[in-house]
Amino acid sequence: MNNAIYLDRDGTLNQDDGYVHKIKNFQLLPDVLDALKLLKNDFKLFIITNQSGIGRGYFGIEDVKKFNNHMIKEFKKEGIKIEEVYICPHNPDKKCDCRKPNIKFIKETEREFNIDLKSSWVIGDLYTDIKMGKNSGCKTIYVLTGHGKYRKNQLEENGIIPDFICENILEAAKTIIQNKNLN
Ligand SMILES: [Mg+2]
Ligand SMILES: [Zn+2]
């Protein structure tokens, strides 16, 4: 079986000033490349992103795909492979089954990529990322980048305890490497 890292996008990998979707506003957060290089040999890397800006009519799915492809190309230059990017395009009102914390996309990877969820991790800057991880039986790391710092209270408000809280994705990657054999 394979192990996976499920990465949130905005605020975890890239700078997020709210509904970021233009390539000219694309900016990787510090140390993201180093973090993914630490992880890439032991884990398959996936991105799961809620993009309700599509459902709200702020931008189109093509904008999101262009942005994602740009990011993937930047990673590829560094020898980092993203297996797949999963996008929920829906407005929260739609109560769809793919918006985080729903686990539809994770279950898809479990089947398609033969993923062992117990040995896989979710990294994100919002409580819904962590909730998705918990709901699917993955280990979870909440990062204090993006929304992480000022929305940390939402973890407690929703009774969610991540396995680890890290300053940023590099610290998260190091934590995963140290704890990867822990079950
Ligand atoms: Mg985020
Ligand atoms: Zn959805």
Side-chain angles (χ1 to χ4, degrees), residues 50 87-91 94-100 102 105:
N50 284 351
I87 304 163
C88 166
H90 303 112
N91 190 307
K94 289 275 184 259
K95 306 260 179 258
C96 67
D97 62 355
C98 57
R99 183 174 169 83
K100 293 181 277 187
N102 288 311
F105 293 140

Side-chain angles (χ1 to χ4, degrees), residues 47-146:
I47 297 172
I48 301 181
T49 179
N50 284 351
Q51 293 295 331
S52 70
I54 300 168
R56 297 175 205 267
Y58 300 163
F59 45 82
I61 184 97
E62 287 312 317
D63 297 307
V64 174
K65 285 186 176 168
K66 264 186 219 157
F67 189 95
N68 293 346
N69 288 340
H70 180 74
M71 178 184 270
I72 286 169
K73 241 195 274 164
E74 294 298 305
F75 289 156
K76 206 170 169 187
K77 281 185 206 159
E78 300 288 329
I80 298 160
K81 182 184 180 192
I82 301 294
E83 301 290 338
E84 195 77 65
V85 183
Y86 297 92
I87 304 163
C88 166
H90 303 112
N91 190 307
D93 297 353
K94 289 275 184 259
K95 306 260 179 258
C96 67
D97 62 355
C98 57
R99 183 174 169 83
K100 293 181 277 187
N102 288 311
I103 64 171
K104 179 180 172 176
F105 293 140
I106 288 189
K107 296 305 269 184
E108 260 179 55
T109 69
E110 186 184 24
R111 289 187 298 270
E112 263 183 56
F113 295 86
N114 192 28
I115 303 295
D116 180 7
L117 296 179
K118 289 191 311 301
S119 308
S120 297
W121 297 71
V122 170
I123 306 175
D125 71 322
L126 263 188
Y127 81 94
T128 47
D129 296 310
I130 304 306
K131 198 167 176 194
M132 174 185 70
K134 298 268 170 197
N135 286 345
S136 55
C138 294
K139 296 195 195 68
T140 55
I141 300 186
Y142 185 85
V143 285
L144 297 173
T145 50

Side-chain angles (χ1 to χ4, degrees), residues 8-13 16 49 100 124-126 129 145-147:
D8 170 52
R9 198 191 79 175
D10 301 335
T12 300
L13 297 174
D16 176 22
T49 179
K100 293 181 277 187
D125 71 322
L126 263 188
D129 296 310
T145 50
H147 295 301

